[in-house]
Amino acid sequence: MKKAEVLSILEHNAKLSNQEIADMAGISADEVEKIIREANEEKLILGYKATINWNKLNQQYVFAYIEAKITPQKDVGFDAIAESICKFEETIDVCLMSGAMDLLILVKGKSIRDIADFVTQKLSTVDGVTSTASHFMLKYYKDDGIIVSQRENNLRQSLVL
Amino acid sequence: MTDSYISDRAKELKPSGIRKFFDLVANTSGVISLGIGEPDYVTPWKICGSAINSIQQGYTMYTSNAGMPELRQAVCDDLNRRFGLQYKSENCMITVGASEALDMAARAILNPTDEVIVPEPCYVAYPAVVELAGAKVVSVPTYEKNNFELHAEDIESKITSKTKAILFGYPCNPTGAIMSRERLLEIAELAKKHDLIVMADEIYERLTYGTEHVCFASLPGMQERTILLGGFSKAYAMTGWRIGYALAPKDILDAMLKIHQHVIMCASTASQCAALTALKECQDASKAMIDDYNRRRQLIVGGLRRIGFSVFEPKGAFYCFPNITSTGLSSEEFAEQLLKQEKVAVIPGTAFGDSGEGYVRCCYATAIDDIREALTRIQRFVESLKK
Ligand SMILES: Cc1ncc(COP(=O)(O)O)c(C=O)c1O
């Protein structure tokens, strides 16, 4: 399972060089190169991005999770509606969910107003979307597996050994 | 002036060779530290939660001196199962870290004329606890060419009629070395032949990479001669909880317990509840951390080798111990100049005994990006030396 190992290393840190990944996985850099090239071709790797603590920057973003109920369309089911929602640049994640709602959509905007506009003017006008419920995020405690406060604070005190 | 109030014993105790180093580090900003031997993880949440829960339920009193019965039993069960040992609760006490266990062991068995064989380079507390117990340290160097393993023939020449015990810790801080079963069997033979006690500090036993740890007490006849020391600090990222244990034949354990009753009473109750959860429910979390240390281990060893150092392959703990003699610097010079020039903190090998000259200790329980940046800086430092 060298492939899974390489991808798992990469998932935690996309900045590593092939040589570094090779060291960590105990294989050659050539093998790493091959695995990553294939994973790109197979669309196993969908992108590379940084985890940003936006709270620290003056220019803050507003994030919201939006639940949407939709009426499935003939033949294409939920997919066609979900895919058209994906095209809005405000959306970050779009997932089909089990339970009371159908889609869970993560959106990002510069202000609450931005997101309100997105919901009222874009999302709710999509054919098949029957209702929405917006949940604004107030504070991030853990982001992409990283506990924010622990990243910010160095809790270590000085000691000998 | 006030010096006259200080006991001879306290005066004679050598200050840790690492201290002045950490003072330097504390006063410089932007330092990447490969210095402190401590996991960079916080304790798995389940463990923290069980301690909070215990406090809410009112577990705020002392426990039995030897520790909570369930925890002592769980420690015995865990070791018995993994290593085929036959410990009972009466052989086990819960301590304030392996640190306390080490001290209790030394105080319980050592007389002022006794000698204790201590392989070097070794954890800084080993010589200190022996000396505080009034006994004499007889150091035995270990060598890179022998994979920093302890060889019976190197010990045998140092054994006298006063030799009471051997004190070692594998996987080893600072070298990352482990001991093979064959080598340990030779030590066991020596222990039998010369009637010695073995104090085995196995606090890093869960942190081995690609090989299984051999528990010294599990060798034929050795449970009777071993004081086995361990703890939760390293494998469960619980350094701040101060919780560990000692296992020993009943008469030795009783002697340790007598001292512990007076000077400690019992280990922290909340920490004992946390430790029980760690043993019973957190093997997966521990394993995930150890798998991650393994990646970092390979990253740092590969990186240092590519810079040009000869690096002994560490198979345990979370340290690597590169040979820096090719730079022409002593360990202290290397560590000090690297810190001043590139703000990377490593520990000079000499902090762990004279035989650590020519090496520095790098702890890789550090964020991957910090290890990468440290490697870049070390490379720049080494290149600057060539000019
Ligand atoms: C070899 C060794 N033994 C014992 C200890 C102390 O561990 P504890 O936190 O359980 O007191 C350490 C900590 O650095 C160590 O490296």
Side-chain angles (χ1 to χ4, degrees), chain B residues 302-374:
Chain B
L304 288 169
R305 283 185 182 155
R306 224 163 284 116
I307 292 171
F309 294 109
S310 141
V311 187
F312 158 74
E313 185 176 349
K315 296 261 177 70
F318 39 49
Y319 307 101
C320 88
F321 206 56
N323 183 328
I324 53 96
T325 47
S326 59
T327 61
L329 300 176
S330 72
S331 309
E332 276 212 27
E333 286 165 348
F334 182 94
E336 206 162 321
Q337 290 180 25
L338 177 63
L339 181 60
K340 288 200 172 130
Q341 219 168 298
E342 291 289 352
K343 297 191 177 182
V344 175
V346 298
I347 308 291
T350 44
F352 309 97
D354 294 340
S355 58
E357 182 53 81
Y359 301 87
V360 295
R361 188 191 77 177
C362 308
C363 173
Y364 55 79
T366 305
I368 297 225
D369 279 337
D370 284 346
I371 294 177
R372 297 170 68 217
E373 175 63 18

Side-chain angles (χ1 to χ4, degrees), chain A residues 13 15 19 23-24 156, chain B residues 38 298 306 369 372:
Chain A
N13 192 332
K15 280 173 70 181
Q19 184 60 61
D23 282 346
M24 291 165 78
R156 256 184 196 173
Chain B
E38 177 172 34
Q298 300 184 92
R306 224 163 284 116
D369 279 337
R372 297 170 68 217

Side-chain angles (χ1 to χ4, degrees), chain B residues 150-153 155-156 159 166 168 179-200 202 214-226:
Chain B
L150 182 57
H151 283 206
E153 66 259 29
I155 304 183
E156 189 142 35
I159 291 177
I166 308 175
F168 59 64
M179 283 276 275
S180 66
R181 179 177 296 275
E182 296 72 55
R183 292 285 170 208
L184 285 174
L185 280 168
E186 290 171 18
I187 311 271
E189 275 310 305
L190 268 190
K192 246 183 268 176
K193 184 168 155 198
H194 297 278
D195 193 18
L196 307 176
I197 297 284
V198 173
M199 295 190 254
E202 302 189 4
V214 182
C215 175
F216 188 78
S218 72
L219 302 177
M222 284 304 114
Q223 193 174 318
E224 297 316 305
R225 308 195 159 270
T226 305

Side-chain angles (χ1 to χ4, degrees), chain A residues 161, chain B residues 37 96-100 102 123 126 169 171 173 201 203-204 230-234 239 242-244 319:
Chain A
L161 249 229
Chain B
V96 180
S99 302
E100 190 223 337
L102 200 55
Y123 180 47
Y126 296 164
N173 171 6
D201 174 2
I203 189 162
Y204 292 103
F232 297 85
S233 287
K234 315 291 176 173
T239 48
R242 312 307 306 120
I243 188 90
Y319 307 101

Side-chain angles (χ1 to χ4, degrees), chain A residues 157-161, chain B residues 15-29 31 33 35-36 336 339-340 345-348:
Chain A
Q157 305 195 349
S158 76
L159 106 167
V160 175
L161 249 229
Chain B
S16 165
I18 309 176
R19 158 135 260 155
K20 74 172 189 210
F21 225 74
F22 278 105
D23 289 345
L24 251 174
V25 174
N27 295 321
T28 325
S29 68
V31 172
S33 178
I36 298 174
E336 206 162 321
L339 181 60
K340 288 200 172 130
V346 298
I347 308 291

Side-chain angles (χ1 to χ4, degrees), chain B residues 79 87 91-93 95 98 100-110 164-169 196-203 215-217 222-230 245-256:
Chain B
L79 291 166
Y87 283 121
N91 300 114
C92 175
M93 69 191 267
T95 57
E100 190 223 337
L102 200 55
D103 185 36
M104 293 302 127
R107 292 208 233 181
I109 64 165
L110 297 177
K164 179 77 166 272
I166 308 175
L167 164 55
F168 59 64
L196 307 176
I197 297 284
V198 173
M199 295 190 254
D201 174 2
E202 302 189 4
I203 189 162
C215 175
F216 188 78
M222 284 304 114
Q223 193 174 318
E224 297 316 305
R225 308 195 159 270
T226 305
I227 307 180
L228 173 56
L229 313 169
Y245 49 80
L247 294 104
K250 186 166 185 308
D251 44 351
I252 295 181
L253 196 92
D254 286 347
M256 293 169 67

